[in-house]
Amino acid sequence: MSDFISELIDSDVLRFGDFVLKSGRRAPFFFNLGNLSSGTAMRRLGNAYADCLMTFDPLPEVIFGPAYKGISLAVAAATALAERGVDIHYAHDRKEAKTHGEGGTLVGAPMAGRRVVIVDDVISDGTAKIESARLIESVGGKVQGVVVALDRQELADDHHTAVQLLHQRLSIPVLSVTDVDAVLEHLQTDPNHHDAARRIAEHMKQHRPSSS
């Protein structure tokens, strides 16, 4: 896991400083999986997602990546699984429905009657994942779980994180490749990142659920 976190930092996916998030909250770190742009990095990321997907029992039959970032994640994860001899289909949606050719908003494997796991980068308030789940269910798919790259482990309401809320709302497993605790542990072993570790630890004291 430490190698994976190093990859995120080296690729500028995980950045440290002073950021204003979409929610309006200030944070000492920012996560943008869109900064990954090399084949080597995507191969490592695909394997990290594959590790999580292999924990489902039974295995999913389709990996669904919401447009836009989720598309490359679904492809990378499916490719990584194929390299292990596990052939799982993938699908994704479009932001706008296509009105010519095959038409519609879905691309890739049919999902009717199949177990589907959603893959994406992070969970903010869970709305996008719930929309994806409803879309999958509307074509007869069964949502088996969600896998994201990073669990921020921050409060999304008065008592729960976004991952906890999504788990409650969909009643399915919500897994993460890594989380802020693992990031902190990694940073604390690197003298170059001790200040970032200190600031993140202080931030999490204020924004972590009291039961964590």
Side-chain angles (χ1 to χ4, degrees), residues 60-78:
E61 296 169 285
V62 180
I63 303 167
F64 180 82
Y68 291 104
K69 290 180 182 177
I71 298 174
S72 60
L73 299 178
V75 174

Side-chain angles (χ1 to χ4, degrees), residues 25-122:
R25 176 183 293 169
R26 303 190 78 90
F29 67 98
F30 187 73
F31 187 83
N32 179 16
L33 207 51
N35 282 344
L36 280 184
S37 57
S38 77
T40 298
M42 286 304 297
R43 182 178 183 180
R44 290 174 181 162
L45 184 65
N47 273 301
Y49 274 87
D51 288 342
C52 285
L53 290 164
M54 289 293 291
T55 66
F56 286 91
D57 185 17
L59 290 175
E61 296 169 285
V62 180
I63 303 167
F64 180 82
Y68 291 104
K69 290 180 182 177
I71 298 174
S72 60
L73 299 178
V75 174
T79 302
L81 288 166
E83 290 176 346
R84 305 179 189 192
V86 180
D87 192 21
I88 296 179
H89 298 272
Y90 68 89
H92 65 85
D93 62 348
R94 296 185 176 101
K95 289 290 187 181
E96 292 113 12
K98 188 177 179 182
T99 57
H100 59 281
E102 77 278 13
T105 59
L106 293 172
V107 180
M111 293 181 284
R114 288 177 161 179
R115 298 181 300 276
V116 183
V117 172
I118 301 167
V119 295
D120 213 345
D121 54 353
V122 294

